[in-house]
Amino acid sequence: MDVVAQLEKLAAANPQKLNWKVSIVDLLADNRACRQILINLISNAVKFTPAGGTVTTFARRAAGGGMDVGVVDTG
């Protein structure tokens, strides 16, 4: 199952709103590790955000070619 679909299904059960702000192109990374990190961060945010809350996730290229990832929630 796609990460976004999996997490949106989890958020909809509460119900919560998920916002995605992703602006990464051509990142060389371990897909499995990145996927697991995102699932852990976002599922924890969803778990601790009350019904009707919002979880916003962002990912962007960092200076030096790395990646900045963040999760902001109302929980």
Side-chain angles (χ1 to χ4, degrees):
M1 177 181 275
D2 180 63
V3 173
V4 172
Q6 178 182 352
L7 294 169
E8 285 180 343
K9 183 176 178 179
L10 179 64
N14 283 343
Q16 297 165 337
K17 181 176 181 182
L18 284 181
N19 294 321
W20 303 92
K21 298 177 182 181
V22 179
S23 59
I24 294 179
V25 179
D26 298 328
L27 179 67
L28 180 60
D30 180 339
N31 283 341
R32 185 200 56 78
C34 287
R35 177 184 173 95
Q36 191 60 53
I37 289 166
L38 288 173
I39 288 171
N40 290 349
L41 288 172
I42 299 166
S43 62
N44 281 342
V46 168
K47 183 169 141 181
F48 293 109
T49 298
T54 301
V55 176
T56 300
T57 304
F58 68 87
R60 60 183 173 242
R61 185 174 304 283
M67 179 172 73
D68 288 333
V69 176
V71 178
V72 179
D73 61 69
T74 58

